[in-house]
Amino acid sequence: MLTKVFLSPLFSFPIPWMKQYYQNFNSLPAGWEHIIFTDMDLESSENIAVVKMNVEQFTDLVEKKTGVRPYVPVPSPKFGDMRPAFGLIFEDYLKGADFWGHTDFDMVMGDLDRFVPESVLEKCDIFSDDPGAVNGIFTLYRNESKINRLFMDCPDWRFIFTDTVYHAFDEAAFTVTVNKFAEEGKIRFTSGRRHSHDRHGVGRVEINSGHLYQDGMEIMAFHFRHTKRWPL
């Protein structure tokens, strides 16, 4: 069984639906885990591990692992520019993990094993739920040095880390690097769309025996970025 570990810094930004998020993620089958690095009052549970960390400690850790001290104000999405580097930044927490990834808290997860089977992961180095692009809300990376350091092959990564502007590095400049390396045969990149998004309308979202449906159609996950209300 492959172990897939999502990594999420969360500093001074309370999530109103965190109880529901915990319940949903803890219902996932074995092999799916989430580590939250936070300065808030959260506790570990079945599939979720909480590591106490504040933004200063996170900044120190990024500098220690990458040699670059990032600009990370709080609260801000700016930490998201470090997502492609999480495998290196948090390498000490990934012992034994086969894949690591990033996601968001405004997500409901469905039957991940059906939509991201191990037979697919075994044949790729990066899996993204967005055709031809790295997806901030759901991307998995093989936990090995070549992939964990791939972000360093993007010419602008140092500037992006230190700039005061949020660049959505994962979905923009880093995507260019991933596609380039995939085209050259240096990495194996698999992508496709398996989730739904509230920009298309919420409709009826429900879970039945671990399967997530929107208006009767099974989906891998539901992203409620705009409504910011737990949809179940």
Side-chain angles (χ1 to χ4, degrees), residues 130 193 195-202 222-227:
D130 191 8
R193 187 174 302 282
H195 78 283
S196 186
H197 197 294
D198 64 1
R199 66 170 171 262
H200 305 304
V202 175
F222 184 75
H223 187 199
F224 52 102
R225 175 182 179 184
H226 297 290
T227 56

Side-chain angles (χ1 to χ4, degrees), residues 37-208:
F37 303 88
T38 187
D39 57 0
M40 296 189 298
D41 188 20
L42 297 176
E43 296 183 358
S44 298
S45 60
E46 291 92 328
N47 295 345
I48 299 174
V50 173
V51 176
K52 293 301 180 181
M53 180 181 293
N54 58 38
V55 70
E56 290 80 12
Q57 291 169 322
F58 173 71
T59 303
D60 290 343
L61 183 59
V62 175
E63 183 176 24
K64 175 183 176 182
K65 295 295 185 177
T66 71
V68 173
R69 189 165 188 84
Y71 173 77
V72 188
V74 171
S76 163
K78 179 62 182 175
F79 75 87
D81 277 338
M82 282 100 245
R83 276 175 166 166
F86 281 178
L88 177 60
I89 295 169
F90 296 119
E91 62 181 350
D92 297 332
Y93 300 90
L94 291 171
K95 307 300 183 183
D98 297 292
F99 284 82
W100 61 271
H102 45 73
T103 187
D104 278 339
F105 291 102
D106 51 1
M107 292 276 286
V108 183
M109 303 295 187
D111 186 359
L112 299 188
D113 281 344
R114 175 191 170 187
F115 289 93
V116 194
E118 293 192 354
S119 59
V120 170
L121 291 179
E122 287 170 350
K123 298 175 183 177
C124 69
D125 297 311
I126 299 178
F127 173 92
S128 171
D129 188 39
D130 191 8
V134 173
N135 192 348
I137 62 170
F138 198 104
T139 297
L140 296 170
Y141 304 77
R142 186 173 296 277
N143 185 28
E144 59 181 40
S145 180
K146 178 181 74 171
I147 303 302
N148 294 352
R149 295 175 180 272
L150 184 61
F151 72 95
M152 292 181 171
D153 287 291
C154 180
D156 297 326
W157 75 270
R158 291 180 179 83
F159 167 74
I160 290 171
F161 277 27
T162 57
D163 192 27
T164 58
V165 175
Y166 174 49
H167 290 261
F169 179 41
D170 48 359
E171 298 183 346
F174 183 62
T175 285
V176 174
T177 297
V178 168
N179 280 315
K180 176 178 180 292
F181 274 61
E183 290 169 4
E184 294 173 352
K186 295 178 179 178
I187 65 170
R188 299 169 298 171
F189 179 39
T190 299
S191 64
R193 187 174 302 282
R194 297 161 174 81
H195 78 283
S196 186
H197 197 294
D198 64 1
R199 66 170 171 262
H200 305 304
V202 175
R204 182 180 180 183
V205 181
E206 58 185 344
I207 285 184
N208 185 354

Side-chain angles (χ1 to χ4, degrees), residues 24 27 108-110 205-213 232:
N24 174 239
S27 70
V108 183
M109 303 295 187
V205 181
E206 58 185 344
I207 285 184
N208 185 354
S209 300
H211 299 270
L212 179 66
Y213 300 90
L232 300 181

